[in-house]
Coordinates of all heavy atoms in Angstrom, one line a residue:
M11 N 25.1 30.9 -8.8 CA 24.4 29.9 -9.5 C 24.9 29.7 -10.8 O 25.3 30.7 -11.5 CB 22.9 30.4 -9.5 CG 22.0 29.3 -9.9 SD 20.2 29.6 -9.7 CE 20.1 29.9 -7.9
L12 N 25.0 28.4 -11.3 CA 25.5 28.1 -12.6 C 24.5 28.3 -13.7 O 23.3 28.0 -13.4 CB 26.1 26.7 -12.6 CG 27.2 26.4 -11.7 CD1 27.6 25.0 -11.7 CD2 28.4 27.3 -12.0
R13 N 24.9 28.6 -14.8 CA 24.0 28.6 -16.0 C 24.3 27.4 -16.9 O 25.4 27.0 -17.0 CB 24.3 29.9 -16.8 CG 23.2 30.9 -16.6 CD 23.5 32.0 -17.6 NE 22.5 32.0 -18.6 CZ 21.8 33.1 -18.9 NH1 22.1 34.3 -18.4 NH2 20.9 33.0 -19.8
T14 N 23.2 26.9 -17.5 CA 23.4 25.8 -18.4 C 22.4 25.8 -19.5 O 21.4 26.5 -19.4 CB 23.3 24.4 -17.7 OG1 23.8 23.4 -18.5 CG2 21.9 24.1 -17.2
I15 N 22.7 25.2 -20.6 CA 21.8 25.1 -21.7 C 21.3 23.7 -21.8 O 22.1 22.7 -21.8 CB 22.4 25.5 -23.0 CG1 22.9 27.0 -22.9 CG2 21.5 25.3 -24.2 CD1 23.7 27.5 -24.1
I16 N 20.0 23.5 -22.0 CA 19.4 22.2 -22.1 C 18.5 22.2 -23.4 O 18.0 23.2 -23.8 CB 18.6 21.7 -20.9 CG1 17.4 22.7 -20.7 CG2 19.5 21.6 -19.7 CD1 16.4 22.1 -19.6
S17 N 18.3 21.0 -23.9 CA 17.4 20.8 -25.1 C 16.2 20.0 -24.6 O 16.4 19.0 -23.9 CB 18.1 20.1 -26.2 OG 19.2 20.8 -26.7
I18 N 15.0 20.5 -24.8 CA 13.8 19.8 -24.4 C 12.8 19.8 -25.6 O 12.9 20.6 -26.5 CB 13.1 20.4 -23.2 CG1 12.7 21.9 -23.4 CG2 14.0 20.3 -22.0 CD1 12.0 22.5 -22.3
D19 N 12.0 18.8 -25.6 CA 10.9 18.7 -26.6 C 10.0 19.9 -26.6 O 9.8 20.6 -25.6 CB 10.1 17.5 -26.4 CG 10.8 16.2 -26.6 OD1 11.8 16.2 -27.4 OD2 10.4 15.2 -26.0
E20 N 9.5 20.2 -27.8 CA 8.6 21.4 -27.9 C 7.4 21.3 -27.0 O 6.9 22.2 -26.4 CB 8.2 21.5 -29.4 CG 7.4 22.8 -29.7 CD 7.1 22.9 -31.2 OE1 7.9 22.4 -32.0 OE2 6.1 23.5 -31.5
V21 N 6.9 20.0 -26.9 CA 5.7 19.8 -26.0 C 6.0 20.1 -24.6 O 5.2 20.7 -23.9 CB 5.2 18.4 -26.2 CG1 4.1 18.0 -25.2 CG2 4.7 18.1 -27.6
D22 N 7.2 19.7 -24.1 CA 7.6 19.9 -22.8 C 7.8 21.4 -22.5 O 7.5 21.9 -21.5 CB 8.9 19.1 -22.4 CG 8.7 17.6 -22.4 OD1 7.5 17.2 -22.2 OD2 9.6 16.9 -22.7
K23 N 8.4 22.1 -23.5 CA 8.6 23.5 -23.3 C 7.3 24.3 -23.2 O 7.1 25.2 -22.4 CB 9.4 24.0 -24.6 CG 9.5 25.6 -24.7 CD 10.5 26.1 -23.6 CE 10.8 27.6 -23.9 NZ 10.1 28.6 -23.2
K24 N 6.3 23.9 -24.0 CA 5.0 24.5 -24.0 C 4.4 24.3 -22.6 O 3.8 25.2 -22.0 CB 4.1 24.0 -25.1 CG 2.8 24.7 -25.2 CD 1.9 24.1 -26.3 CE 2.3 24.7 -27.6 NZ 1.4 24.4 -28.7
W25 N 4.5 23.0 -22.1 CA 3.9 22.7 -20.8 C 4.6 23.5 -19.7 O 3.9 24.1 -18.8 CB 4.1 21.2 -20.5 CG 3.5 20.8 -19.2 CD1 2.2 20.4 -19.0 CD2 4.2 20.7 -17.9 NE1 2.1 20.2 -17.6 CE2 3.3 20.3 -17.0 CE3 5.5 21.0 -17.6 CZ2 3.6 20.1 -15.6 CZ3 5.9 20.8 -16.2 CH2 4.9 20.4 -15.3
I26 N 5.9 23.6 -19.7 CA 6.6 24.4 -18.7 C 6.2 25.9 -18.8 O 5.9 26.5 -17.7 CB 8.1 24.3 -18.9 CG1 8.6 22.9 -18.5 CG2 8.9 25.3 -18.0 CD1 10.0 22.6 -18.9
D27 N 6.1 26.4 -20.0 CA 5.6 27.8 -20.1 C 4.2 28.0 -19.5 O 4.0 29.0 -18.9 CB 5.7 28.2 -21.6 CG 7.1 28.4 -22.1 OD1 8.0 28.6 -21.3 OD2 7.3 28.4 -23.4
Q28 N 3.3 27.1 -19.8 CA 2.0 27.2 -19.3 C 1.9 27.1 -17.8 O 1.2 27.8 -17.1 CB 1.1 26.1 -19.9 CG 0.8 26.3 -21.4 CD 0.1 25.1 -22.0 OE1 0.0 24.1 -21.5 NE2 -0.4 25.4 -23.2
K29 N 2.7 26.2 -17.3 CA 2.8 26.0 -15.8 C 3.4 27.2 -15.1 O 2.9 27.7 -14.1 CB 3.6 24.8 -15.4 CG 3.7 24.5 -13.9 CD 3.8 23.1 -13.6 CE 3.9 22.8 -12.2 NZ 2.6 22.9 -11.5
A30 N 4.4 27.8 -15.7 CA 5.0 29.0 -15.2 C 4.0 30.1 -15.2 O 3.9 30.9 -14.2 CB 6.3 29.3 -16.0
A31 N 3.3 30.3 -16.3 CA 2.3 31.4 -16.4 C 1.2 31.2 -15.3 O 0.8 32.2 -14.6 CB 1.7 31.4 -17.8
K32 N 0.8 30.0 -15.2 CA -0.3 29.7 -14.2 C 0.1 30.0 -12.8 O -0.7 30.4 -12.0 CB -0.7 28.2 -14.4 CG -1.8 27.8 -13.5 CD -2.2 26.3 -13.7 CE -3.3 25.9 -12.8 NZ -3.6 24.4 -13.0
E33 N 1.4 29.6 -12.5 CA 1.9 29.8 -11.1 C 2.6 31.2 -10.9 O 3.1 31.4 -9.9 CB 2.8 28.7 -10.8 CG 2.1 27.3 -10.7 CD 3.0 26.2 -10.2 OE1 4.1 26.5 -9.7 OE2 2.6 25.0 -10.4
N34 N 2.6 32.0 -12.0 CA 3.2 33.3 -11.9 C 4.7 33.2 -11.5 O 5.2 33.9 -10.6 CB 2.5 34.2 -11.0 CG 2.9 35.7 -11.3 OD1 3.2 36.0 -12.4 ND2 2.8 36.5 -10.2
K35 N 5.4 32.2 -12.2 CA 6.8 31.9 -11.9 C 7.5 32.0 -13.2 O 6.9 31.9 -14.3 CB 7.0 30.6 -11.3 CG 6.4 30.4 -9.9 CD 6.7 29.0 -9.3 CE 6.2 28.9 -7.9 NZ 6.5 27.5 -7.4
T36 N 8.8 32.0 -13.2 CA 9.6 31.9 -14.4 C 9.8 30.4 -14.8 O 9.6 29.5 -13.9 CB 11.0 32.5 -14.2 OG1 11.7 31.8 -13.2 CG2 10.9 34.0 -13.8
M37 N 10.1 30.2 -16.1 CA 10.4 28.9 -16.5 C 11.5 28.3 -15.7 O 11.5 27.1 -15.3 CB 10.7 28.9 -18.0 CG 11.1 27.5 -18.5 SD 11.7 27.5 -20.2 CE 13.3 28.4 -20.0
T38 N 12.5 29.1 -15.4 CA 13.7 28.6 -14.7 C 13.3 28.2 -13.3 O 13.8 27.1 -12.8 CB 14.7 29.8 -14.6 OG1 15.0 30.3 -15.9 CG2 16.0 29.3 -13.9
A39 N 12.4 28.9 -12.7 CA 11.9 28.5 -11.3 C 11.2 27.2 -11.4 O 11.4 26.3 -10.5 CB 11.0 29.6 -10.7
I40 N 10.4 27.0 -12.4 CA 9.7 25.7 -12.5 C 10.7 24.5 -12.7 O 10.6 23.5 -12.1 CB 8.7 25.7 -13.7 CG1 7.6 26.8 -13.5 CG2 8.1 24.4 -14.0 CD1 6.7 26.5 -12.3
I41 N 11.7 24.7 -13.5 CA 12.7 23.7 -13.7 C 13.5 23.4 -12.5 O 13.7 22.3 -12.1 CB 13.6 24.1 -14.9 CG1 12.8 24.0 -16.2 CG2 14.8 23.1 -15.0 CD1 13.5 24.5 -17.4
R42 N 13.9 24.5 -11.7 CA 14.6 24.3 -10.5 C 13.7 23.5 -9.5 O 14.2 22.6 -8.8 CB 15.0 25.6 -9.8 CG 16.1 26.3 -10.5 CD 16.5 27.5 -9.7 NE 17.4 28.3 -10.5 CZ 17.1 29.6 -10.8 NH1 16.0 30.2 -10.4 NH2 18.0 30.3 -11.5
Q43 N 12.4 23.8 -9.4 CA 11.5 23.1 -8.6 C 11.4 21.6 -9.0 O 11.4 20.8 -8.1 CB 10.1 23.8 -8.7 CG 9.1 23.3 -7.8 CD 7.7 24.0 -7.9 OE1 7.7 25.1 -8.6 NE2 6.7 23.5 -7.4
A44 N 11.3 21.4 -10.2 CA 11.2 20.0 -10.7 C 12.5 19.2 -10.3 O 12.4 18.0 -9.9 CB 11.0 20.0 -12.2
I45 N 13.7 19.8 -10.5 CA 14.9 19.1 -10.1 C 14.9 18.8 -8.6 O 15.3 17.7 -8.2 CB 16.1 20.0 -10.6 CG1 16.2 20.0 -12.1 CG2 17.4 19.4 -9.9 CD1 17.2 21.0 -12.6
Q46 N 14.5 19.8 -7.8 CA 14.5 19.6 -6.4 C 13.5 18.5 -6.0 O 13.8 17.6 -5.1 CB 14.1 20.9 -5.6 CG 14.2 20.8 -4.1 CD 15.7 20.4 -3.7 OE1 16.6 21.1 -4.1 NE2 15.8 19.4 -2.9
F47 N 12.3 18.5 -6.7 CA 11.4 17.4 -6.4 C 11.9 16.1 -6.7 O 11.8 15.1 -6.0 CB 10.1 17.7 -7.3 CG 9.1 16.6 -7.1 CD1 8.2 16.6 -6.1 CD2 8.9 15.6 -8.1 CE1 7.2 15.6 -5.9 CE2 8.0 14.6 -8.0 CZ 7.1 14.6 -6.9
Y48 N 12.6 16.0 -7.9 CA 13.2 14.7 -8.3 C 14.3 14.3 -7.3 O 14.4 13.1 -7.0 CB 13.8 14.8 -9.7 CG 14.3 13.5 -10.3 CD1 13.4 12.5 -10.7 CD2 15.7 13.3 -10.4 CE1 13.9 11.3 -11.2 CE2 16.1 12.1 -11.0 CZ 15.2 11.1 -11.3 OH 15.7 10.0 -11.8
R49 N 15.1 15.2 -6.9 CA 16.2 14.9 -5.9 C 15.6 14.4 -4.6 O 16.0 13.4 -4.0 CB 17.1 16.1 -5.6 CG 18.0 16.4 -6.8 CD 18.8 17.6 -6.5 NE 19.7 17.3 -5.4 CZ 20.4 18.3 -4.7 NH1 20.2 19.5 -5.0 NH2 21.2 17.9 -3.7
D50 N 14.5 15.0 -4.1 CA 13.9 14.6 -2.9 C 13.3 13.2 -3.1 O 13.4 12.4 -2.2 CB 12.8 15.6 -2.5 CG 13.3 16.9 -2.0 OD1 14.5 17.0 -1.8 OD2 12.5 17.9 -2.0
F51 N 12.7 13.0 -4.2 CA 12.1 11.7 -4.5 C 13.1 10.6 -4.5 O 13.0 9.5 -3.9 CB 11.4 11.7 -5.9 CG 10.8 10.4 -6.3 CD1 9.6 9.9 -5.8 CD2 11.6 9.6 -7.2 CE1 9.1 8.7 -6.2 CE2 11.1 8.4 -7.6 CZ 9.9 7.9 -7.1
E52 N 14.3 10.8 -5.1 CA 15.3 9.9 -5.2 C 15.9 9.6 -3.8 O 16.1 8.4 -3.4 CB 16.5 10.4 -6.1 CG 16.2 10.1 -7.6 CD 16.1 8.7 -7.9 OE1 17.1 7.9 -7.7 OE2 15.1 8.2 -8.4
N53 N 16.1 10.6 -3.0 CA 16.6 10.5 -1.6 C 15.6 9.6 -0.8 O 16.1 8.8 0.0 CB 16.8 11.8 -1.0 CG 18.0 12.5 -1.6 OD1 18.9 11.9 -2.1 ND2 18.0 13.9 -1.4
K54 N 14.3 9.9 -0.9 CA 13.3 9.1 -0.2 C 13.3 7.6 -0.6 O 13.2 6.7 0.2 CB 12.0 9.7 -0.3 CG 11.9 11.0 0.5 CD 10.5 11.7 0.4 CE 10.6 13.0 1.1 NZ 9.5 13.9 0.8
R55 N 13.5 7.4 -1.9 CA 13.5 6.1 -2.5 C 14.7 5.3 -1.9 O 14.6 4.2 -1.5 CB 13.6 6.1 -4.0 CG 13.5 4.7 -4.7 CD 13.7 4.8 -6.2 NE 15.0 5.4 -6.5 CZ 16.1 4.7 -6.5 NH1 16.2 3.5 -6.1 NH2 17.2 5.3 -6.9
I56 N 15.9 6.0 -1.9 CA 17.1 5.4 -1.4 C 16.9 5.0 0.1 O 17.3 4.0 0.6 CB 18.3 6.2 -1.6 CG1 18.6 6.3 -3.2 CG2 19.5 5.8 -0.9 CD1 19.6 7.3 -3.6
E57 N 16.3 6.0 0.9 CA 16.1 5.8 2.3 C 15.2 4.6 2.5 O 15.4 3.7 3.4 CB 15.5 7.0 3.0 CG 16.5 8.1 3.1 CD 15.8 9.4 3.6 OE1 14.7 9.4 4.1 OE2 16.5 10.5 3.4
F58 N 14.1 4.5 1.7 CA 13.2 3.4 1.8 C 13.9 2.0 1.5 O 13.7 1.0 2.2 CB 12.0 3.6 0.8 CG 11.1 2.4 0.8 CD1 10.1 2.2 1.8 CD2 11.1 1.5 -0.2 CE1 9.3 1.2 1.8 CE2 10.2 0.4 -0.2 CZ 9.3 0.2 0.8
E59 N 14.7 2.0 0.5 CA 15.4 0.8 0.1 C 16.4 0.4 1.3 O 16.5 -0.8 1.6 CB 16.2 1.0 -1.2 CG 15.3 1.0 -2.4 CD 16.1 1.3 -3.7 OE1 17.3 1.5 -3.6 OE2 15.4 1.4 -4.7
K60 N 17.0 1.3 1.9 CA 17.9 1.0 3.0 C 17.1 0.5 4.2 O 17.5 -0.5 4.8 CB 18.7 2.3 3.5 CG 19.8 2.7 2.5 CD 20.5 4.0 3.0 CE 21.6 4.4 2.1 NZ 22.2 5.7 2.5
L61 N 16.0 1.1 4.5 CA 15.1 0.6 5.5 C 14.6 -0.8 5.2 O 14.6 -1.7 6.1 CB 13.9 1.6 5.8 CG 12.9 1.2 6.8 CD1 13.6 1.2 8.2 CD2 11.8 2.2 6.9
S62 N 14.2 -1.0 4.0 CA 13.7 -2.3 3.6 C 14.8 -3.4 3.8 O 14.5 -4.5 4.3 CB 13.3 -2.3 2.1 OG 12.1 -1.5 2.0
E63 N 16.0 -3.0 3.4 CA 17.1 -4.0 3.6 C 17.4 -4.3 5.0 O 17.6 -5.4 5.4 CB 18.4 -3.4 2.9 CG 19.5 -4.4 2.8 CD 19.2 -5.6 2.0 OE1 18.4 -5.5 1.0 OE2 19.7 -6.7 2.4
K64 N 17.3 -3.2 5.9 CA 17.6 -3.4 7.3 C 16.5 -4.3 8.0 O 16.8 -5.0 8.9 CB 17.7 -2.1 8.0 CG 18.9 -1.3 7.8 CD 18.9 0.0 8.6 CE 20.1 0.8 8.5 NZ 20.1 2.1 9.2
T65 N 15.3 -4.2 7.5 CA 14.2 -4.9 8.2 C 13.8 -6.2 7.5 O 12.9 -6.9 8.1 CB 13.0 -3.9 8.3 OG1 12.6 -3.6 7.0 CG2 13.3 -2.7 9.1
R66 N 14.4 -6.5 6.4 CA 14.1 -7.7 5.7 C 14.4 -8.9 6.6 O 15.4 -9.1 7.2 CB 14.9 -7.9 4.5 CG 14.6 -9.1 3.7 CD 15.4 -9.2 2.4 NE 14.8 -8.2 1.5 CZ 15.4 -7.3 0.8 NH1 16.8 -7.3 0.8 NH2 14.8 -6.4 0.0
G67 N 13.4 -9.8 6.8 CA 13.5 -11.0 7.5 C 13.3 -10.9 9.0 O 13.5 -11.9 9.7
I68 N 12.8 -9.8 9.5 CA 12.6 -9.7 11.0 C 11.3 -10.3 11.4 O 11.1 -10.6 12.6 CB 12.7 -8.2 11.5 CG1 11.6 -7.3 10.9 CG2 14.1 -7.7 11.2 CD1 11.6 -5.9 11.5
W69 N 10.3 -10.5 10.5 CA 9.1 -11.2 10.8 C 9.3 -12.7 11.0 O 9.7 -13.3 10.0 CB 8.0 -10.9 9.8 CG 6.7 -11.5 10.0 CD1 6.2 -12.7 9.4 CD2 5.7 -11.1 10.9 NE1 5.0 -13.0 9.9 CE2 4.6 -12.0 10.8 CE3 5.6 -10.0 11.8 CZ2 3.5 -11.9 11.5 CZ3 4.4 -9.9 12.5 CH2 3.4 -10.8 12.4
K70 N 9.1 -13.2 12.2 CA 9.4 -14.6 12.4 C 8.2 -15.4 12.7 O 8.3 -16.5 13.3 CB 10.4 -14.7 13.6 CG 11.7 -13.9 13.4 CD 12.6 -14.5 12.3 CE 13.9 -13.7 12.3 NZ 14.6 -13.9 11.1
K71 N 7.0 -14.9 12.5 CA 5.8 -15.6 12.9 C 5.1 -16.3 11.7 O 3.8 -16.3 11.6 CB 4.8 -14.6 13.5 CG 5.4 -14.0 14.8 CD 4.4 -13.0 15.4 CE 5.0 -12.4 16.7 NZ 4.1 -11.4 17.3
G72 N 5.8 -16.8 10.8 CA 5.2 -17.5 9.7 C 5.2 -16.6 8.4 O 5.9 -15.7 8.3
D73 N 4.3 -17.0 7.5 CA 4.1 -16.3 6.2 C 3.5 -14.9 6.4 O 2.3 -14.8 6.8 CB 3.3 -17.1 5.3 CG 3.2 -16.6 3.9 OD1 3.3 -15.4 3.7 OD2 3.1 -17.4 3.0
G74 N 4.3 -13.9 6.2 CA 3.8 -12.5 6.4 C 2.6 -12.1 5.5 O 1.7 -11.4 5.9
L75 N 2.6 -12.6 4.3 CA 1.5 -12.3 3.4 C 0.2 -13.0 3.9 O -0.9 -12.3 3.9 CB 1.8 -12.8 1.9 CG 0.7 -12.6 0.9 CD1 0.4 -11.1 0.8 CD2 1.1 -13.1 -0.4
K76 N 0.2 -14.2 4.3 CA -1.0 -14.9 4.9 C -1.5 -14.1 6.1 O -2.7 -13.9 6.2 CB -0.7 -16.3 5.3 CG -0.5 -17.2 4.1 CD -0.2 -18.6 4.6 CE 0.0 -19.6 3.4 NZ 0.4 -20.9 3.8
Y77 N -0.6 -13.6 6.9 CA -1.0 -12.8 8.1 C -1.7 -11.5 7.6 O -2.7 -11.2 8.2 CB 0.3 -12.5 8.9 CG 0.0 -11.5 10.1 CD1 -0.7 -12.0 11.2 CD2 0.3 -10.2 10.0 CE1 -1.0 -11.2 12.3 CE2 0.0 -9.3 11.1 CZ -0.6 -9.8 12.2 OH -0.9 -9.0 13.2
Q78 N -1.1 -10.8 6.7 CA -1.7 -9.6 6.2 C -3.1 -9.8 5.6 O -4.1 -9.1 5.9 CB -0.9 -9.0 5.1 CG 0.4 -8.4 5.5 CD 1.2 -7.8 4.3 OE1 0.6 -7.2 3.5 NE2 2.5 -8.1 4.3
I79 N -3.3 -10.9 4.8 CA -4.6 -11.2 4.3 C -5.6 -11.5 5.4 O -6.7 -11.1 5.4 CB -4.5 -12.4 3.3 CG1 -3.7 -12.0 2.1 CG2 -5.8 -13.0 2.9 CD1 -3.3 -13.1 1.1
A80 N -5.2 -12.3 6.4 CA -6.0 -12.6 7.5 C -6.5 -11.4 8.3 O -7.7 -11.3 8.6 CB -5.3 -13.6 8.4
I81 N -5.6 -10.5 8.6 CA -6.1 -9.3 9.4 C -6.9 -8.4 8.6 O -7.7 -7.7 9.1 CB -4.9 -8.6 10.1 CG1 -3.9 -8.0 9.1 CG2 -4.2 -9.6 11.1 CD1 -2.9 -7.1 9.8
R82 N -6.6 -8.3 7.3 CA -7.4 -7.4 6.4 C -8.8 -7.9 6.2 O -9.7 -7.2 5.9 CB -6.7 -7.2 5.1 CG -5.4 -6.3 5.3 CD -4.7 -6.1 4.1 NE -3.5 -5.3 4.3 CZ -2.5 -5.1 3.5 NH1 -2.5 -5.7 2.3 NH2 -1.5 -4.4 3.8
K83 N -9.0 -9.2 6.4 CA -10.4 -9.8 6.3 C -11.3 -9.2 7.3 O -12.5 -9.1 7.1 CB -10.4 -11.3 6.4 CG -9.9 -12.0 5.1 CD -9.9 -13.5 5.2 CE -9.4 -14.1 3.9 NZ -9.4 -15.5 3.9
E84 N -10.7 -8.8 8.5 CA -11.5 -8.2 9.5 C -12.1 -6.9 9.0 O -13.2 -6.5 9.5 CB -10.6 -7.8 10.7 CG -10.0 -9.0 11.4 CD -8.9 -8.6 12.5 OE1 -8.7 -7.4 12.7 OE2 -8.4 -9.5 13.1
W85 N -11.5 -6.2 8.1 CA -12.0 -4.9 7.6 C -13.3 -5.2 6.8 O -14.1 -4.3 6.6 CB -11.0 -4.2 6.7 CG -9.7 -3.9 7.4 CD1 -9.4 -3.8 8.7 CD2 -8.5 -3.5 6.7 NE1 -8.1 -3.5 9.0 CE2 -7.5 -3.2 7.7 CE3 -8.1 -3.3 5.4 CZ2 -6.2 -2.8 7.5 CZ3 -6.8 -2.9 5.1 CH2 -5.9 -2.7 6.2
D86 N -13.4 -6.4 6.2 CA -14.6 -6.7 5.4 C -15.8 -6.9 6.2 O -16.9 -6.9 5.7 CB -14.3 -7.9 4.5 CG -13.2 -7.7 3.5 OD1 -13.0 -6.5 3.1 OD2 -12.6 -8.7 3.1
H87 N -15.7 -7.1 7.5 CA -16.8 -7.4 8.4 C -17.2 -6.2 9.3 O -17.5 -6.4 10.5 CB -16.4 -8.6 9.3 CG -16.1 -9.8 8.5 ND1 -16.9 -10.5 7.7 CD2 -14.9 -10.5 8.4 CE1 -16.4 -11.5 7.1 NE2 -15.1 -11.5 7.5
R88 N -17.1 -5.1 8.7 CA -17.5 -3.9 9.5 C -19.0 -3.8 9.6 O -19.8 -4.2 8.7 CB -17.0 -2.6 8.7 CG -15.6 -2.5 8.7 CD -15.1 -1.2 8.0 NE -13.8 -1.4 7.5 CZ -13.4 -1.0 6.3 NH1 -14.2 -0.2 5.6 NH2 -12.2 -1.2 5.9
P89 N -19.6 -3.3 10.7 CA -21.0 -3.2 10.8 C -21.7 -2.2 9.9 O -21.1 -1.4 9.3 CB -21.2 -2.7 12.3 CG -19.9 -2.4 12.8 CD -18.8 -2.8 11.8

């Protein structure tokens, strides 16, 4: 594992220390967890964008927004 030095705001350092104490983890573990969370988030965002690009334009039955509004109106008429 590589070691690095980072500079963070005092408020962020205090928050990390509090979170680490609350979860009984080291500050380093919290930062690693945050980086992994961010990487996962970015990967999912990229996958979503690729899926959106692949499926763009496949709806051929008119205005998709009008269709969504129409079918959602059914939800308003629940017994």
Side-chain angles (χ1 to χ4, degrees):
M11 196 169 295
L12 298 174
R13 256 187 111 131
T14 191
I15 297 172
I16 62 169
S17 299
I18 59 175
D19 293 333
E20 190 175 326
V21 173
D22 293 334
K23 171 71 165 100
K24 186 181 274 189
W25 180 86
I26 292 169
D27 288 340
Q28 290 172 346
K29 181 151 182 73
K32 183 178 178 183
E33 295 185 13
N34 197 28
K35 294 181 178 180
T36 64
M37 178 187 68
T38 307
I40 297 296
I41 292 172
R42 284 188 196 120
Q43 183 180 350
I45 291 169
Q46 186 60 52
F47 178 81
Y48 186 72
R49 286 179 65 197
D50 291 347
F51 175 82
E52 280 294 303
N53 289 337
K54 287 176 184 164
R55 184 185 59 80
I56 291 167
E57 289 172 17
F58 176 77
E59 288 174 359
K60 286 178 182 177
L61 179 63
S62 293
E63 189 61 37
K64 283 182 180 179
T65 59
R66 181 174 287 133
I68 63 173
W69 178 259
K70 304 292 184 198
K71 297 180 183 178
D73 187 327
L75 180 58
K76 287 181 182 177
Y77 175 76
Q78 288 178 45
I79 291 169
I81 64 169
R82 289 179 181 166
K83 283 182 180 177
E84 296 173 3
W85 299 347
D86 295 335
H87 302 295
R88 293 181 207 143

